Amino acid sequence: MAAADRQRPPFVAMLRDSALAAVVAALLAVPLLGVRLVDNAGGLTLDYRLPLVLYAAAAVFAGRLLLSLAGHFLAPSFRDMTVSLPRMPRNSLIIVGWVLVAAAVLLPWMPFAERNLVDKLTLILIYVMLGWGLNIVVGLAGLLDLGYVAFYAIGAYAYALLSMHFGLSFWICLPLAGLMAALFGVALGFPVLRLRGDYLAIVTLGFGEIIRVVLLNWQAVTNGPNGITGIERPTLFGLSFSRAADGPTFAGFFGIEFSPVHRVYFLYYLILALALMTTLFAQRIRRLPTGRAWEALREDEIACRSLGMNPVTVKLSAFAIGASFAGLAGSFFATRQGFISPESFSFIESATILAIVVLGGMGSQIGIVLAAVLLVGLPEWFRDLSEYRMLVFGGAMVLIMLWRPQGLLSRREPTILLDPKPASAGATVP
Amino acid sequence: MTEPAATLLQVDHLTMRFGGITAISDLSFTAKRGDITAIIGPNGAGKTTVFNCLTGFYQPTVGRLELTHQNGKRFLLERMPDFRIARDAHVVRTFQNIRLFAGMSVLENLVVAQHIALTRASGYAVAGLLHLPVYRKAERRAVEQARYWLDKMGLTASADQLAGSLPYGFQRRLEIARAMCAGPVLLCLDEPAAGLNTRETDELSGLLLDIRKEHGLSILLIEHDMALVMEISDHVVVLDHGACICHGPPAKVRADPAVISAYLGTPEDEAIALTRGSR
Amino acid sequence: MPQTGIVFRGEIPARMTIDIFLQQLVNGLTLGAFYGLIALGYTMVYGIIGMINFAHGDIYMIGAFVALIGFVVLSTVGIASVPLAILIVLVLAMFFTACYGWAVERIAYRPLRGSPRLAPLISAIGMSIVLQNYVQIAQGARTKSLQPIVHGQYSIDVGQGAHVSVSLLQIIIIVLTVALMAGFTWVIRSTPLGRAQRATEQDATMAALLGVNVNRTISITFVIGASLAAVAGMMATLYYGVIDFYIGFIAGIKAFTAAVLGGIGSLPGAMLGGLAIGLIESFWPVFFDLAYRDVAVFGLLILVLIFRPTGLLGRPEIEKV
């Protein structure tokens, strides 16, 4: 029966369906695409661009038709492909993880690596680290945090202010920034963690906005919208990466010619190390009572309470630990840029990080890397289309979710096996 | 006179109101240490509400719930939050509609139940993060404890499967195993036989008697399967419309006319099973 | 709401007199009308499918743009009668914005029904980004401003030589909002559509079994929510005269705050919450620094959720164990 249906595609229905979609597209396009407001001396005038409406309708018609045809003819194989994707055996994922780490370490030495690429990878790694940090909160503990960027901002400003006012070095400020973010995490988390999932989401979103508004308006401390400039750059055991500095310089110490590339590479390895630390921590804590309690809480809070777990402490620990990684990433961001302003910590950042976690498949460390490359990397490479970049970004978020609602890689490995086979014992997936 | 420590749980004048509805009114009963005490009654009699008050999920409107440990330590359950009742007073429960950690493996469910002991052993995660031997040993002990219960419940083969993927009967047993891993003094079972077939119910009654014998445990049981109740309980409390209409040993309860009339109009098989006392 | 919204900026005295009180009351009511209308869309969608429709703020923004374009089109066509223009624009804005609301649900949410809880939320955030950037590309990033269309200002003597000014537009906004809300409440309470909607809200599967077309009911919910947001958008265009592609974000968060404040899922709650937020926003700068107004709103939200998690009018939930 199904086979017979497949032999005679319902072309008429498809055509009608596509035509309908085209009509809707035209309706949507008429007011906003077909007419453009133009500012003139005398006020607003209109610029009619009705052909655009036709193009939009035609594009939707063709796209819809192609999709239905493709769905009809390719459906079985297409579905198989998507299902087989997460069914990779456990060991192959570990191998992929180590290969990725090796590739990341070796990459700057490859012939094709140039400064620009390493710079972009550094940016991607910041998001990978943030994704891995937020995954502790969202993926493991199941707490929906829409204001994660607030902790990132706190880390960045903590470093900038501590180094500016007290002359503390990056390496001293780094743990302090993490601690500071964790403290804020506790302060926010304590009152609100009793709330149900979506309420928590909106409160964290509000918290993110509060932090941004305060940064924007507390002129005396944060210098408001102008931000903080001239933030101390990091050193390698006291070796500066500047051309000339008060102390020893990296180039001078090793007797090599100064090059600004050194700092770019150094920052790359620094964020790589921070990110790997995050994932190793996450891997390890997942196998500890603390991590198991987070996952249990995500599964069923009432059952957790019936077993003697204090849900507030469990949630708070996840929230604070997740926040502290954002704090670390924030101070790295500050030292990399040398300049921070509230603009860098808007809601869109929180949304991006959350999207990375969800697209990656909640809990999958490699999935998060993939998602970060997709969501942060690709738009970076298409910077020439600057105008369309965010449009593509948003569209990609929707499309990937539609394609794989459970995320790119979503298989969960048990944290403990009754009789672990010696081969896989103690192995961690980076 | 019995010695004071023989009384495990003393419920006095328990009343629970939701808005204008009185779910339990002035309920008093005692449960003796080492006994299986059953709470029965028609649907909506307020049995689960009693459990929810005992385990802290509801705050009773009026009443005193006193639990005494073997060593004489007393706990006033109505004043404690739910997680502390499980953690300190060691009253652990199961749920009418099973609440497992469905996305975690069977073994993980049992290990999570030992959270409190393991967290202490992991030095609040520090020793665990450093992978110190003290934590590794504690974790091995936890797994051995879990293995004991897996063997007892016949779940060993499914240890690494997702709890949510188990068949229904297995899930019921896993929930009891999980409660046992939490080290209860009083185990509260909310309809453990619901949805089980005859053979599974027989196994369950054997299991409960066995657990009580080997672990010196006291059990509080809500159950609709009268045959099971009459077979294993030492003491039966009958609730109707939130009030206790009769309590005593199974033989007494079975013969009580008030109980029989309370059950008339409820599903016939229950009433019949009640009068016959066996399948 | 656009930052341009407050009548007084900073230079009012930090003390309350009867005229300032009444003046801010009027302004707050107007502001509350916007928030209430947008909040209805959030609360309805949350009630029926339990998700935060993150793109709803941007639907409001689209409503504002369609309305602005509508006014400019009408003025080039030469329709001089203001009430007629407002009526035509209202209908047009509601229609086109409703199309957007419908399309967003159809494209980004319906395929994800029954997926993990976070999937529709991410897709909604994606949709919000798409709509913002679409409007930015199609209409340009610069703010658009419209000359005031509705004139008329009434000065009311409140004694001791003090006056409160109420504009005709404010009266129109408040009357229109009250009328819409009354009509809307009637639809939900007393029509088959409202019944289907409430049934779907309680239990979508059961409603479907009893013959309610769940998909259509959900679509209609989005259409109604979007058209109410369009009304708010049109009123914002008239009231502030300045819009840009970004106005939906903050307005959206605040309206959602209003919905939660009033008790999410409760229609009168959404209106009440909107009113509360509007009043807080208009009274805040009388006493405190205007820059921290948003902080006040979110701070209040946090306080309400801690002490009354179901919101002002939400049904208390008994935890089912």
Side-chain angles (χ1 to χ4, degrees):
Chain A
M1 178 83 178
D5 275 352
R6 194 163 291 142
Q7 260 139 35
R8 270 185 298 108
F11 282 121
V12 181
M14 282 185 195
L15 277 175
R16 204 173 46 210
D17 182 53
S18 306
L20 213 65
V23 169
V24 173
L27 274 180
L28 295 182
V30 162
L32 289 172
L33 212 55
V35 189
R36 187 184 167 98
L37 291 164
V38 184
D39 272 309
N40 276 333
L44 289 171
T45 56
L46 295 170
D47 177 11
Y48 291 93
R49 301 180 301 178
L50 292 173
L52 281 182
V53 176
L54 289 180
Y55 298 153
V60 167
F61 180 78
R64 177 82 197 175
L65 194 59
L66 280 177
L67 259 183
S68 343
L69 285 174
H72 187 79
F73 288 112
L74 304 175
S77 58
F78 190 68
R79 240 176 266 136
D80 287 347
M81 188 189 82
T82 53
V83 168
S84 65
L85 203 67
R87 298 227 179 259
M88 280 191 283
R90 173 181 155 79
N91 285 332
S92 76
L93 264 184
I94 298 178
I95 294 167
V96 170
W98 284 114
V99 167
L100 278 178
V101 171
V105 170
L106 294 177
L107 198 119
W109 307 97
M110 295 288 141
F112 56 84
E114 26 86 44
R115 182 187 169 148
N116 211 348
L117 178 76
V118 176
D119 222 25
K120 279 178 180 149
L121 287 176
T122 308
L123 185 73
I124 292 176
L125 277 173
I126 294 181
Y127 282 92
V128 169
M129 176 170 177
L130 287 168
W132 281 338
L134 181 62
N135 183 45
I136 292 177
V137 184
V138 180
L140 292 184
L143 303 169
L144 189 44
D145 185 351
L146 282 181
Y148 194 60
V149 75
F151 304 116
Y152 184 48
I154 286 165
Y157 273 87
Y159 167 57
L161 294 173
L162 284 173
S163 96
M164 195 167 76
H165 294 296
F166 302 102
L168 296 178
S169 84
F170 174 72
W171 294 103
I172 295 176
C173 291
L174 189 68
L176 288 179
L179 203 65
M180 191 82 123
L183 280 179
F184 268 86
V186 171
L188 166 72
F190 198 71
V192 303
L193 282 176
R194 295 152 228 273
L195 300 178
R196 263 196 296 127
D198 296 305
Y199 285 0
L200 185 69
I202 208 74
V203 167
T204 49
L205 192 156
F207 178 70
E209 281 301 300
I210 289 178
I211 293 286
R212 202 178 57 86
V213 170
V214 170
L215 292 178
L216 211 51
N217 291 295
W218 199 7
Q219 287 279 351
V221 173
T222 63
N223 198 23
N226 298 327
I228 301 177
T229 49
I231 298 169
E232 187 76 19
R233 310 308 294 266
T235 58
L236 176 69
F237 300 112
L239 299 178
S240 152
F241 286 91
S242 312
R243 186 180 290 278
D246 298 337
T249 66
F250 178 77
F253 185 81
F254 289 103
I256 49 178
E257 200 181 325
F258 168 78
S259 160
V261 174
H262 293 155
R263 176 184 285 151
V264 174
Y265 280 34
F266 171 66
L267 287 170
Y268 172 76
Y269 281 116
L270 182 57
I271 186 66
L272 183 63
L274 284 173
L276 286 179
M277 186 191 78
T278 312
T279 186
L280 287 178
F281 178 90
Q283 289 291 325
R284 169 118 277 169
I285 199 141
R286 232 193 106 214
R287 286 150 207 275
L288 293 180
T290 319
R292 288 200 197 103
W294 292 341
E295 291 200 78
L297 196 82
R298 178 194 66 201
E299 296 290 321
D300 195 326
E301 180 174 335
I302 287 176
C304 279
R305 275 150 53 188
S306 81
L307 294 170
M309 288 177 222
N310 182 348
V312 173
T313 346
V314 174
K315 286 181 187 177
L316 216 51
S317 61
F319 217 63
I321 289 174
S324 68
F325 284 113
L328 298 184
S331 53
F332 173 81
F333 176 77
T335 195
R336 171 178 182 249
Q337 306 289 111
F339 162 73
I340 50 171
S341 74
E343 214 178 297
S344 311
F345 308 105
S346 58
F347 169 71
I348 193 83
E349 299 296 319
S350 287
T352 308
I353 305 164
L354 183 67
I356 287 173
V357 174
V358 177
L359 291 183
M362 301 246 284
S364 163
Q365 308 284 304
I366 293 180
I368 286 173
V369 177
L370 277 179
V373 170
L374 268 177
L375 279 187
V376 182
L378 286 186
E380 275 302 305
W381 264 280
F382 291 109
R383 250 195 198 285
D384 307 338
L385 309 163
S386 57
E387 231 194 345
Y388 296 92
R389 199 172 70 97
M390 289 309 287
L391 190 69
V392 171
F393 172 78
M397 261 164 96
V398 176
L399 289 180
I400 302 178
M401 263 327 26
L402 295 183
W403 177 48
R404 284 191 72 78
Q406 70 281 65
L408 296 170
L409 298 173
S410 56
R411 210 171 94 164
R412 177 185 179 279
E413 292 297 335
T415 60
I416 193 165
L417 295 173
L418 189 60
D419 292 302
K421 288 171 208 76
S424 58
T428 52
V429 191
Chain B
M1 282 303 282
T2 49
E3 52 172 317
T7 300
L8 172 73
L9 177 72
Q10 172 85 42
V11 173
D12 285 322
H13 307 295
L14 174 66
T15 300
M16 181 77 215
R17 290 192 200 99
F18 299 103
I21 303 159
T22 306
I24 307 172
S25 61
D26 199 31
L27 172 69
S28 302
F29 69 93
T30 57
K32 279 205 278 239
R33 191 177 311 284
D35 269 8
I36 295 181
T37 308
I39 302 178
I40 64 169
N43 283 329
K47 304 182 296 289
T48 298
T49 309
V50 173
F51 263 30
N52 284 340
C53 289
L54 272 175
T55 49
F57 284 94
Y58 292 161
Q59 176 90 42
T61 317
V62 180
R64 189 177 138 99
L65 309 164
E66 185 180 274
L67 186 95
T68 315
H69 280 183
Q70 187 103 53
N71 59 13
K73 205 162 174 213
R74 283 158 198 274
F75 297 90
L76 292 176
L77 302 182
E78 77 277 9
R79 296 189 188 166
M80 295 164 70
D82 44 23
F83 69 92
R84 285 196 48 218
I85 289 177
R87 193 183 69 191
D88 302 336
H90 299 290
V91 177
V92 184
R93 68 175 293 180
T94 65
F95 296 89
Q96 196 173 338
N97 31 19
I98 312 174
R99 284 181 174 272
L100 291 172
F101 305 124
M104 300 172 82
S105 77
V106 169
L107 179 62
E108 282 175 313
N109 268 269
L110 299 185
V111 174
V112 166
Q114 303 171 54
H115 176 77
I116 305 304
L118 265 180
T119 306
R120 285 191 192 122
S122 80
Y124 299 90
V126 176
L129 280 174
L130 299 175
H131 215 60
L132 294 183
V134 55
Y135 173 69
R136 285 206 305 254
K137 230 168 82 193
E139 197 184 66
R140 263 201 306 277
R141 264 204 312 277
V143 173
E144 284 320 308
Q145 162 96 335
R147 190 194 297 276
Y148 171 84
W149 285 107
L150 287 172
D151 287 343
K152 201 158 191 83
M153 301 284 176
L155 291 167
T156 315
S158 341
D160 297 329
Q161 283 179 21
L162 285 188
S165 69
L166 292 182
Y168 192 80
F170 282 42
Q171 294 198 11
R172 281 263 176 234
R173 272 184 276 159
L174 175 58
E175 207 191 15
I176 298 175
R178 187 181 66 183
M180 286 311 297
C181 278
V185 164
L186 174 63
L187 177 66
C188 301
L189 300 173
D190 197 344
E191 295 197 26
L196 300 189
N197 61 32
T198 325
R199 189 176 54 80
E200 286 171 324
T201 310
D202 282 342
E203 283 171 11
L204 179 75
S205 65
L207 186 81
L208 293 181
L209 290 171
D210 189 43
I211 292 178
R212 175 180 58 169
K213 203 168 82 203
E214 279 182 32
H215 295 269
L217 187 76
S218 315
I219 297 177
L220 205 58
L221 177 74
I222 293 179
E223 190 44 69
H224 274 297
D225 188 319
M226 285 311 141
L228 176 73
V229 168
M230 296 303 159
E231 185 184 332
I232 67 171
S233 28
D234 304 299
H235 190 82
V236 180
V237 178
V238 189
L239 289 190
D240 192 26
H241 297 295
C244 174
I245 54 171
C246 170
H247 66 94
K252 177 192 167 201
V253 165
R254 198 185 303 165
D256 193 306
V259 177
I260 296 168
S261 82
Y263 267 90
L264 290 177
T266 61
E268 278 172 36
D269 51 337
E270 277 182 17
I272 292 164
L274 186 76
T275 47
R276 284 203 207 127
S278 65
R279 268 183 302 267
Chain C
M1 284 300 129
Q3 277 69 18
T4 42
I6 281 296
V7 177
F8 300 125
R9 302 207 87 178
E11 60 287 325
I12 41 157
R15 68 193 151 79
M16 185 67 90
T17 55
I18 184 73
D19 53 335
I20 292 180
F21 174 78
L22 289 174
Q23 186 66 64
Q24 294 309 74
L25 190 67
V26 171
N27 296 341
L29 285 175
T30 317
L31 209 51
F34 291 115
Y35 289 139
L37 282 176
I38 309 173
L40 278 176
Y42 278 109
T43 221
M44 278 164 59
V45 167
Y46 194 94
I48 204 160
I49 51 176
M51 71 167 282
I52 303 175
N53 178 11
F54 224 92
H56 190 61
D58 301 292
I59 293 287
Y60 151 80
M61 177 271 293
I62 284 185
F65 265 91
V66 174
L68 176 58
I69 291 171
F71 281 122
V72 178
V73 169
L74 289 188
S75 76
T76 53
V77 174
I79 292 179
S81 156
V82 172
L84 184 61
I86 289 183
L87 201 68
I88 294 174
V89 168
L90 189 67
V91 171
L92 284 179
M94 284 172 82
F95 172 74
F96 283 114
T97 314
C99 287
Y100 273 90
W102 180 86
V104 165
E105 192 271 336
R106 185 68 191 77
I107 295 170
Y109 306 154
R110 189 181 295 180
L112 288 174
R113 232 172 270 154
S115 333
R117 198 170 54 93
L118 281 178
L121 182 73
I122 295 297
S123 152
I125 294 175
M127 213 61 212
S128 156
I129 296 172
V130 166
L131 290 178
Q132 268 176 36
N133 286 278
Y134 161 66
V135 172
Q136 184 188 3
I137 292 167
Q139 298 295 333
R142 293 182 50 193
T143 24
K144 303 278 179 292
S145 52
L146 180 73
Q147 299 299 320
I149 295 180
V150 184
H151 302 277
Q153 191 90 2
Y154 305 99
S155 190
I156 301 164
D157 192 346
V158 290
Q160 295 151 7
H163 295 273
V164 171
S165 71
V166 181
S167 69
L168 177 60
L169 188 55
Q170 283 179 320
I171 296 173
I172 294 177
I173 286 173
I174 293 171
V175 168
L176 189 56
T177 305
V178 170
L180 271 175
M181 285 179 174
F184 177 69
T185 311
W186 177 80
V187 166
I188 295 296
R189 287 239 174 100
S190 330
T191 64
L193 168 65
R195 211 157 34 240
Q197 200 171 19
R198 280 177 290 146
T200 310
E201 206 176 307
Q202 294 287 323
D203 187 338
T205 318
M206 197 60 209
L209 285 174
L210 294 176
V212 173
N213 185 338
V214 170
N215 274 340
R216 203 182 60 192
T217 310
I218 294 175
S219 278
I220 292 176
T221 306
F222 273 84
V223 163
I224 295 177
S227 33
L228 291 176
V231 177
M234 184 203 75
M235 297 190 317
T237 305
L238 286 174
Y239 190 59
Y240 299 117
V242 184
I243 58 172
D244 63 42
F245 69 97
Y246 200 62
I247 56 169
F249 177 67
I250 287 287
I253 304 183
K254 288 194 186 157
F256 186 79
T257 302
V260 174
L261 197 62
I264 198 138
S266 149
L267 301 176
M271 304 170 200
L272 189 70
L275 206 60
I277 300 258
L279 289 174
I280 290 163
E281 292 218 330
S282 68
F283 278 105
W284 178 265
V286 176
F287 302 103
F288 308 101
D289 188 347
L290 175 72
Y292 290 101
R293 194 181 53 188
D294 293 356
V295 173
V297 172
F298 295 127
L300 176 83
L301 172 73
I302 294 175
L303 286 180
V304 167
L305 284 181
I306 292 168
F307 294 109
R308 202 179 153 77
T310 48
L312 299 173
L313 297 186
R315 276 177 244 109
E317 262 175 67
I318 295 174
E319 198 170 29
K320 266 282 184 198
V321 178

